[in-house]
Amino acid sequence: MKDDYDGPILEIDNLSISFFTRLREIPAVMDFSVKVQPGEAVGLVGESGCGKSTVALGVMQDLGKNGRIVGGSIRFKGRNLNEMSQEELREIRGSEIAMIYQEPMASLNPAMKVAQQLMEVPMIHKGVGKEDAYARALQVVTDVKLPDPKRILDSYPHQLSGGQQQRIVIALALMAEPALLILDEPTTALDVTVEAAVVELVKELGKKYGTSMLFISHNLGLVLETCDRICVMYSGEAVETGSIEDVFDEMQHPYTQALFRSIPLPGADKNASPLVAIPGNFPLPHERPPGCNFGPRCDYFEAGRCDAVERVPMSKIPGNDRHNSRCLRIEEIDWAAPPQNVKSTEKPAPGKVVLKMDELKKYYEVAANALFGSSGEKKVVKANETLSFEARESETLAIVGESGCGKSTFAKVLMGLETATGGQILLDNRNIESTPIEKRDTKTIADVQMVFQNPFDTLNPSMSVGRQIMRALEIFDFGDSDSARREEMLRLLDLVKLPRAFAERMPRQLSGGQKQRVGIARAFSGGARIVVADEPVSALDVSVQAAVTDLLMEIQREQKTTLLFISHDLSIVRYLSDRVMVMYLGHVVELGSTDQVFSPPYHPYTEALLSAVPIADTRVKKKHIVLEGDIPSAMNPPPGCPFQTRCGWKDKVPGGLCEKEVPPVRVVADGHQIKCHLSDVDFANMEPVIQIAAE
């Protein structure tokens, strides 16, 4: 069966999937078609709720009790999956079709060692013996580039890092050498460097095993790096399909164009050419508009035409490789025209220094055997090591680095949730490093506010939106009456571009992007001088990201706020920030203006971070650097330079200096500091990581 079939591995034809509730039928996917050829990787992209994961679950025939395929067919190697018995499906799932989910721990059994979980697959599906199954497990764990494979096989899942767990899940999927691998946002929860390594791995293994792939993602850069073809989905339909080059370079659907305009590509400038957010909101499945689903949000919508047909058909784009688009106005639209209604703004000049950190240290003392709470020997975790920087009025300073580098620890000290171990933090020349939040005065608390990564966790589910903002105003002693606070609350809703009627809504009635706006309104309710934005857009769709970042910039211009933007997404950092601080294992390894940090010379860690960022532009050529190994533990940091265990430049420094001494801070240009032992000659010879080919 495996070798004599030469048609498409997966052929989805006019698929419609609905979910049935007591009230109504909810059509989640309609008239959806896609083909995956042998050895081909197809990317499925679109905003949350567009039906990407529903398609994947349809292929797995795992739609739950109330999900049903109501039309069309899904053929795997020519056989219709809809018509198979449970017995036949069991034979195919796991052996011929495998799926990798977004959250690795959802696929791993916490009570079983890794070896047992991997060995089960060939033993059940292929009937092999224990010895052969162990040998296969060892081979696959080696293939997914995990260090010390025997130790990994003997570990429980909780003893592995997030990146290692995700590699085990990939190994699990590959154990039976499936013909089709479905990946549902497999790298969303991972650091950008780990993501780069996992993506590299998936590509290599796809080639090695000849596996076809359906790669579900909302990250267009990742799809460009991993896939041969792309299918763009909107509201349950495929709206554009084609090869990566055709769709990226000659997009022929307004939604695809709008997606690209809302992501920060090289050359985007927050002042001269800001991102363009997609107007309006995504329609609910049972409230889709007549005619074209994208019509109400489309710049090219023509009333009486785009909404006059029952369904807009797919049209072939002549001259391209299987390139189709679901738009009635393809030939009339000037796809090369620049976007309309883009407001360019003056770059605000940075004002006086508002915040100054000087040699800040934050250490934690933990029991050497913290897991079992044993008393006795203590260990010190150096979360922040001599942090020094200044931030000015109207300036955006980005703080970047992988998980565990100390970004959030420093934010906690600044907010007063922790106190410093050493050094000082000056807010308007007042020392605040040793004052915990409960002892700070109202003005200091109002001056330093935070917007968190996950808007779902920061709002009180039992309190209306307006009440939550008014509560913050009460705490900040704003106004002398409830009516004055209500007026200010409505003004704040205007500021974050939410309708005033939202004041009466409960958080559960808001989308993720709307909740994040409420969080921003609350942060600015006390007239904040400094706002710490901790990954504020990473949980949001790209179109919502553009709107939220644009909003932060607009408020910053109006209120001269200092923005400390914590992120691991260097594309958004390049677009938003005026200066960038790169952290690794508690140390500031590089600090400079955005232009300085994004062009050579770099710290070797910055260079690796830049190489890891997926960029959704076919003209971009990147230097290929994949970091080996994981970030060392802050409880047991390496001697010498904190980055030396993963650095590709270490051999250039004579006498093993990197392993013996922490490097000094070098000033390589005005305001550009790098903490590194490399010589001036090495820095002078560094090549750019990202280059854009001429048109």
Side-chain angles (χ1 to χ4, degrees):
M1 177 81 201
K2 204 157 190 167
D3 304 315
D4 54 9
Y5 181 77
D6 60 357
I9 292 293
L10 180 69
E11 190 170 9
I12 301 177
D13 192 31
N14 294 335
L15 177 69
S16 294
I17 296 174
S18 290
F19 290 92
F20 293 85
T21 68
R22 278 178 302 186
L23 291 176
R24 61 171 75 88
E25 175 187 349
I26 297 172
V29 173
M30 304 168 306
D31 188 23
F32 178 83
S33 300
V34 77
K35 278 184 193 170
V36 183
Q37 300 293 346
E40 188 173 65
V42 175
L44 207 53
V45 300
E47 294 168 278
S48 304
C50 71
K52 307 186 296 289
S53 296
T54 306
V55 168
L57 293 172
V59 174
M60 297 301 285
Q61 298 286 306
D62 183 22
L63 291 165
K65 283 183 182 163
N66 59 349
R68 227 169 31 240
I69 292 172
V70 292
S73 64
I74 305 171
R75 292 183 179 276
F76 172 71
K77 291 188 172 181
R79 297 170 66 199
N80 193 339
L81 292 173
N82 314 13
E83 295 167 0
M84 285 188 189
S85 67
Q86 284 303 313
E87 192 63 37
E88 289 173 304
L89 285 170
R90 264 199 299 275
E91 272 183 29
I92 283 183
R93 283 192 203 121
S95 62
E96 296 261 337
I97 306 176
M99 186 158 174
I100 297 170
Y101 296 89
Q102 182 169 348
E103 177 46 62
M105 276 310 282
S107 310
L108 296 172
N109 184 333
M112 280 170 76
K113 286 188 174 177
V114 168
Q116 279 175 284
Q117 301 191 47
L118 290 170
M119 286 162 64
E120 270 189 351
V121 180
M123 285 165 76
I124 290 170
H125 289 292
K126 302 273 197 265
V128 303
K130 268 191 175 177
E131 275 184 28
D132 289 347
Y134 185 82
R136 173 99 184 102
L138 196 60
Q139 175 59 49
V140 174
V141 170
T142 310
D143 281 349
V144 297
K145 295 192 169 64
L146 279 164
D148 194 354
K150 287 192 172 166
R151 181 186 63 79
I152 295 277
L153 286 176
D154 200 37
S155 303
Y156 287 97
H158 71 264
Q159 295 171 307
L160 309 178
S161 70
Q164 288 174 335
Q165 287 172 1
Q166 193 60 289
R167 285 167 189 240
I168 291 297
V169 171
I170 293 170
L172 205 54
L174 292 169
M175 279 299 286
E177 297 188 17
L180 176 68
L181 188 56
I182 302 172
L183 302 102
D184 189 359
E185 302 267 14
T187 59
T188 304
L190 304 178
D191 269 318
V192 67
T193 48
V194 183
E195 175 180 86
V198 169
V199 164
E200 180 75 11
L201 175 71
V202 166
K203 277 174 16 189
E204 271 178 36
L205 296 173
K207 285 195 180 75
K208 177 174 176 177
Y209 292 109
T211 310
S212 304
M213 287 190 276
L214 189 62
F215 192 95
I216 297 172
S217 182
H218 64 266
N219 186 327
L220 288 159
L222 264 187
V223 168
L224 168 64
E225 291 190 0
T226 43
C227 298
D228 309 300
R229 300 181 61 74
I230 184 173
C231 171
V232 181
M233 281 188 83
Y234 181 79
S235 190
E237 299 180 310
V239 293
E240 185 163 10
T241 60
S243 71
I244 291 289
E245 287 75 19
D246 288 343
V247 174
F248 276 60
D249 298 341
E250 296 176 44
M251 56 198 75
Q252 301 280 307
H253 193 279
Y255 177 60
T256 314
Q257 185 186 59
L259 270 185
F260 274 89
R261 284 177 174 173
S262 65
I263 55 176
L265 296 173
D269 180 308
K270 65 180 179 183
N271 299 303
S273 55
L275 301 180
V276 183
I278 305 175
N281 288 317
F282 202 76
L284 292 169
H286 56 282
E287 292 176 359
R288 291 187 176 107
C292 175
N293 280 339
F294 188 58
R297 305 173 75 190
C298 180
D299 289 344
Y300 310 106
F301 178 75
E302 195 179 302
R305 181 178 172 195
C306 297
D307 52 2
V309 290
E310 190 178 333
R311 295 290 309 283
V312 177
M314 274 288 209
S315 310
K316 282 190 166 56
I317 310 297
N320 285 351
D321 171 31
R322 293 174 285 153
H323 188 182
N324 301 291
S325 172
R326 198 182 290 278
C327 179
L328 297 172
R329 302 197 58 197
I330 297 170
E331 290 171 17
E332 304 155 34
I333 295 169
D334 178 2
W335 297 100
Q340 302 299 306
N341 311 323
V342 174
K343 298 199 297 274
S344 57
T345 51
E346 285 293 306
K347 183 178 178 180
K352 64 180 196 300
V353 172
V354 179
L355 180 72
K356 183 175 166 59
M357 284 210 184
D358 195 22
E359 302 278 311
L360 178 79
K361 292 180 180 157
K362 177 61 187 171
Y363 296 170
Y364 295 97
E365 226 181 43
V366 292
N369 195 348
L371 189 63
F372 301 107
S374 70
S375 55
E377 190 193 343
K378 297 275 188 192
K379 277 210 161 191
V380 173
V381 176
K382 297 182 175 180
N384 286 154
E385 189 71 284
T386 59
L387 282 190
S388 296
F389 68 88
E390 289 179 348
R392 298 171 182 277
E393 208 173 61
S394 299
E395 177 181 62
T396 303
L397 171 68
I399 297 126
V400 299
E402 295 167 283
S403 305
C405 73
K407 307 187 296 287
S408 296
T409 300
F410 122 78
K412 283 178 187 169
V413 177
L414 175 59
M415 299 295 297
L417 299 171
E418 303 271 6
T419 53
T421 307
Q424 55 180 354
I425 303 176
L426 295 167
L427 173 65
D428 291 328
N429 283 326
R430 300 193 319 275
N431 283 70
I432 59 167
E433 71 282 345
S434 301
T435 316
I437 195 157
E438 57 270 23
K439 292 190 178 163
R440 289 187 178 181
D441 60 54
T442 304
K443 182 174 183 339
T444 306
I445 292 171
D447 276 352
V448 186
Q449 283 291 300
M450 195 157 181
V451 177
F452 295 89
Q453 176 171 359
N454 192 344
F456 308 92
D457 293 343
T458 56
L459 298 178
N460 184 334
S462 57
M463 204 186 267
S464 73
V465 163
R467 188 70 227 136
Q468 300 201 42
I469 297 172
M470 285 170 70
R471 176 95 183 89
L473 290 166
E474 271 173 46
I475 291 166
F476 298 141
D477 292 336
F478 180 91
D480 50 10
S481 66
D482 243 18
S483 60
R485 285 189 279 273
R486 182 168 178 78
E487 206 42 54
E488 175 64 6
M489 177 268 291
L490 294 171
R491 189 193 71 77
L492 284 162
L493 287 178
D494 294 344
L495 184 72
V496 296
K497 299 190 167 51
L498 282 176
R500 289 188 164 199
F502 273 40
E504 309 309 320
R505 289 201 183 179
M506 303 303 278
R508 65 172 186 278
Q509 297 171 291
L510 272 56
S511 70
Q514 289 166 343
K515 283 181 184 151
Q516 196 58 295
R517 284 165 188 252
V518 176
I520 292 168
R522 206 170 49 177
F524 281 94
S525 57
R529 308 281 313 285
I530 297 166
V531 169
V532 181
D534 188 0
E535 302 269 14
V537 293
S538 63
L540 306 176
D541 274 316
V542 285
S543 53
V544 184
Q545 267 186 21
V548 170
T549 49
D550 190 39
L551 174 68
L552 281 170
M553 293 300 99
E554 198 174 310
I555 297 174
Q556 182 185 40
R557 278 192 291 272
E558 277 179 29
Q559 309 210 350
K560 294 191 163 51
T561 318
T562 305
L563 198 60
L564 299 182
F565 191 84
I566 298 174
S567 182
H568 67 262
D569 180 348
L570 284 172
S571 300
I572 210 120
V573 162
R574 184 176 201 164
Y575 169 72
L576 271 187
S577 58
D578 303 306
R579 287 193 306 134
V580 180
M581 180 165 98
V582 183
M583 288 184 70
Y584 186 82
L585 213 59
H587 292 255
V588 176
V589 294
E590 184 162 3
L591 176 64
S593 72
T594 306
D595 288 342
Q596 287 170 335
V597 172
F598 277 79
S599 48
Y602 315 103
H603 186 281
Y605 178 55
T606 311
E607 184 186 46
L609 279 182
L610 289 172
S611 165
V613 176
I615 299 171
D617 191 331
T618 53
R619 300 168 304 154
V620 167
K621 296 283 172 276
K622 283 195 307 185
K623 193 170 164 186
H624 189 67
I625 304 162
V626 173
L627 283 183
E628 296 296 326
D630 291 317
I631 274 202
S633 161
M635 206 186 293
N636 190 19
C641 172
F643 188 57
Q644 54 100 348
T645 56
R646 302 168 82 196
C647 182
W649 289 78
K650 190 165 67 169
D651 299 344
K652 303 248 180 204
V653 178
L657 193 59
C658 298
E659 292 163 18
K660 294 174 195 161
E661 288 178 28
V662 175
V665 173
R666 307 254 299 277
V667 178
V668 290
D670 184 32
H672 187 191
Q673 306 168 7
I674 299 180
K675 200 174 201 174
C676 186
H677 283 304
L678 285 175
S679 68
D680 292 343
V681 175
D682 289 325
F683 277 145
N685 290 334
M686 273 194 174
E687 296 168 354
V689 173
I690 297 168
Q691 289 185 305
I692 300 174
E695 294 275 340

